[in-house]
Amino acid sequence: MTGKRAGTLLELMYPIEYFTLARAWQDLTDDEFFWEPFTTTWSIRRQDQCSTPNPFGAGEWVADFEIPEPAPVPMTTIAWLYWHIGSMPGRLCGIDFLGGTRTMASGWTSPYLTHHPIFTSAAEAVTALRDGWQRLREAIERADDDQLEVTTAGYTYAAESPRGGVCVAGPPGPAHPATHFIAGTLTEIGHHGTQIGALRDLYAWRQIDRR
């Protein structure tokens, strides 16, 4: 029988998946994935094509970024947003309060503190998000109330320049129950999933206008 804490989190997951993620991943094409809506748009690019001063990543592909962030922050492509959230649900399963070996304070779930995969196709990105979302649901279903009430420290960012394509982790942050971090991750995924849906709408109407 699902515990009270797990039940609440699962109820939060359902509308995010049904109303938001379904729109973010259903039949997503590579053209939509890489579409840049403005002349100044952050995306994922090969290292030799990147012009932002602090990109994330250390391989052939990197994610545009600039520290400090410009105001306003540039629009991002769907590819950038999938780099940002695509690995989050699967990585959350690797945190100790869900049975993994990582800690929240390590920054394992943050794409700014650890190297998250940079997806170079819509299919690859959608598969990662879908599979991670399913694994997270299963991990929450297995968790009891005691497990989800465990208090742990979060991560922080050090006041240092990025190194090796990621920011530097600071000292452990404030302690919260596991539910705080799980709900925060779900909110982050829902928030950026909504952005993906809006970009898909803009892309679709742009095609109609051209016709």
Side-chain angles (χ1 to χ4, degrees):
M1 181 177 178
T2 302
K4 182 177 179 180
R5 302 289 183 269
T8 299
L9 293 168
L10 293 170
E11 286 182 10
L12 179 59
M13 290 186 78
Y14 174 76
I16 292 173
E17 179 176 348
Y18 185 81
F19 294 108
T20 301
L21 295 184
R23 294 186 67 237
W25 61 42
Q26 185 66 39
D27 299 324
L28 182 66
T29 67
D30 284 347
D31 283 344
E32 292 173 279
F33 191 67
F34 287 108
W35 176 57
E36 299 191 24
F38 296 101
T39 53
T40 302
T41 301
W42 283 352
S43 188
I44 62 164
R45 311 180 194 280
R46 287 185 167 87
Q47 284 268 16
D48 59 2
Q49 297 173 341
C50 179
S51 60
T52 53
N54 307 109
F56 289 103
E60 179 184 1
W61 292 81
V62 294
D64 285 328
F65 207 75
E66 182 176 346
I67 300 172
E69 291 180 313
V73 176
M75 289 285 291
T76 57
T77 62
I78 292 174
W80 193 100
L81 292 167
Y82 260 98
W83 159 75
H84 189 73
I85 65 168
S87 301
M88 278 187 182
R91 282 182 170 241
L92 190 58
C93 297
I95 300 298
D96 49 13
F97 54 64
L98 285 177
T101 60
R102 309 278 182 171
T103 65
M104 283 301 301
S106 71
W108 177 246
T109 60
S110 169
Y112 298 158
L113 289 173
T114 54
H115 287 294
H116 286 207
I118 296 179
F119 309 112
T120 58
S121 72
E124 181 187 17
V126 166
T127 296
L129 181 57
R130 266 182 155 155
D131 289 354
W133 188 258
Q134 177 63 29
R135 293 201 311 274
L136 179 58
R137 182 192 297 110
E138 292 169 355
I140 292 172
E141 287 172 345
R142 292 192 298 268
D144 59 30
D145 284 349
D146 289 342
Q147 188 176 345
L148 295 177
E149 290 171 358
V150 168
T151 299
T152 188
Y155 56 77
T156 64
Y157 297 92
E160 301 179 31
S161 299
R163 296 182 203 160
V166 289
C167 292
V168 178
H176 297 282
T179 50
H180 170 90
F181 296 108
I182 297 172
T185 299
L186 298 180
T187 300
E188 181 79 350
I189 293 167
H191 162 63
H192 291 299
T194 300
Q195 288 181 286
I196 293 170
L199 284 168
R200 295 194 71 182
D201 289 343
L202 288 171
Y203 177 89
W205 279 103
R206 177 173 174 271
Q207 307 312 307
I208 291 171
D209 284 349
R210 284 186 167 183
R211 291 199 295 269

